[in-house]
Amino acid sequence: MTRTLTVGVDVGGTSVRAGAVGDDGDVLDTVSAPTPGTDDALEAAIAGAVEELRRRYPVSAVGLALAGFVDAGRGLVRYAPHLSWRDAPVARRISDRLGGLPVVVEHDANSAALAERRYGAAAGASAAVLIALGTGIGGALLLDGELYRGAHGVAPELGHLRVVPDGRSCPCGKRGCWERYCSGTALAATALELISGTHPPGPSALAREAAQDPGRITGRRVGAAAREGDPIGRAAMAELGHWLGEGLSLVADVFDPDLVVIAGGVSGSAPQFLDVAREHYARIATGAGNRPLARIRTAQLGPAAAVVGAATLARETISRAGGR
């Protein structure tokens, strides 16, 4: 019997990644393409990736995962900071290009959280928060296995909680947002601050590289340097751990989750910062020592989580609509 699959598409600022996903969460095949800069070209690229997978497999629906504000109906993209869509009926447009194939849209952190709940680190959790550490911070909240998206589809926007009044400037227009201290971008900024400080923590390959070209100091490079024992890299990672713990205490005050899942590209460096985060969180959480604290785990599905989650959402949506 031929399996009918759903396709999940992770629409990022630099690439479009589509995967054919089975009902067990397995990714059977993938297609990728660069992210174009206009609505029409972007929608054509997404439809083209899906069509390529449709030529190989029977596909019943498509889910799109992206960083941005999505309406409660999961069809309209109100705003996506790294994409061209503004108040765009993306689900309908893509569906039209695919001959009426059902399409749903979801925030990428929500998609990753759904995948981790079904197949990964959040399985069985009653109240789970996913924190995706990448260029910025993406957040998602699961209550009894269901995504909480707020009245207008944009909750929870954790990356823009203000942790440092009048702190580092943020593209959102505020200063001191959590993601400016706890993300891949923050790692690079912290490393450069340490390098330019009056008492940098010892001889450092990162410092030598920054002297030649500060643009070479990226979050990925800082993580690699920390794993190699570079003192600047390790100090930057410890600083990130401190701010992760600081933000987790706020998350605990608001949501009181039983589980926090740390995802995103920076989570690959978790051994360099997660113990610091756990210790700081446990020390400063309201009622520390007199309340249960959330378990903190790293994600299990890695970079495939958003694709798997978007495909799962598409499958569940058409199932509820009686389309299966």
Side-chain angles (χ1 to χ4, degrees):
M1 182 177 178
T2 302
R3 297 176 70 184
T4 298
L5 310 176
T6 49
V7 170
V9 186
D10 186 358
V11 187
T14 58
S15 67
V16 172
R17 295 178 295 164
V21 181
D23 56 11
D24 53 3
D26 285 346
V27 180
L28 278 69
D29 202 351
T30 60
V31 172
S32 63
T35 301
T38 66
D39 287 14
D40 188 67
L42 176 56
E43 290 156 19
I46 293 168
V50 174
E51 290 288 14
E52 186 170 340
L53 291 171
R54 286 179 86 183
R55 288 193 287 271
R56 305 173 194 170
Y57 310 94
V59 173
S60 60
V62 177
L64 307 183
L66 57 95
F69 294 167
V70 178
D71 77 322
R74 295 186 173 109
L76 181 75
V77 177
R78 298 187 184 280
Y79 171 72
H82 305 297
L83 303 171
S84 59
W85 289 317
R86 298 293 183 271
D87 290 319
V90 171
R92 177 180 58 76
R93 289 179 184 173
I94 300 296
S95 179
D96 288 347
R97 288 178 181 268
L98 296 171
L101 195 67
V103 176
V104 295
V105 186
E106 184 56 275
H107 191 282
D108 55 358
N110 283 352
S111 299
L114 182 62
E116 291 290 342
R117 179 64 168 77
R118 300 293 189 273
Y119 312 109
S126 60
V129 173
L130 179 136
I131 298 170
L133 304 179
T135 302
I137 290 179
L141 173 63
L142 287 160
L143 300 174
D144 294 325
E146 298 296 325
L147 288 167
Y148 177 77
R149 305 176 66 254
H152 305 102
V154 302
E157 193 58 61
L158 299 177
H160 298 288
L161 294 173
R162 184 175 290 172
V163 295
V164 182
D166 299 319
R168 293 174 181 168
S169 62
C170 182
C172 78
K174 297 192 295 187
R175 301 185 70 89
C177 292
W178 189 19
E179 69 176 40
R180 307 311 294 170
Y181 296 85
C182 187
S183 65
T185 303
L187 268 177
T190 298
L192 290 171
E193 285 181 0
L194 289 167
I195 290 166
S196 63
T198 54
H199 300 288
S204 165
L206 282 177
R208 291 192 293 273
E209 292 170 23
Q212 297 173 1
D213 179 9
R216 294 172 60 183
I217 308 304
T218 64
R220 188 182 299 274
R221 178 66 190 105
V222 175
R227 289 190 293 274
E228 296 161 4
D230 184 279
I232 294 287
R234 295 180 66 178
M237 279 292 179
E239 187 79 1
L240 182 141
H242 168 89
W243 287 112
L244 178 57
E246 192 79 17
L248 288 177
S249 72
L250 298 176
V251 168
D253 284 346
V254 176
F255 298 122
D256 187 28
D258 65 323
L259 175 69
V260 174
V261 177
I262 306 299
V266 179
S267 69
S269 295
Q272 305 294 324
F273 65 80
L274 202 54
D275 285 346
V276 172
R278 285 192 177 106
E279 291 169 7
H280 188 56
Y281 162 57
R283 185 168 57 252
I284 68 169
T286 303
N290 296 285
R291 62 176 287 186
L293 295 176
R295 296 166 292 145
I296 303 172
R297 295 178 178 171
T298 53
Q300 292 182 5
L301 300 180
V307 166
V308 172
T312 300
L313 175 64
R315 179 177 297 107
E316 293 179 353
T317 299
I318 62 168
S319 177
R320 284 194 294 268
R324 185 165 64 177

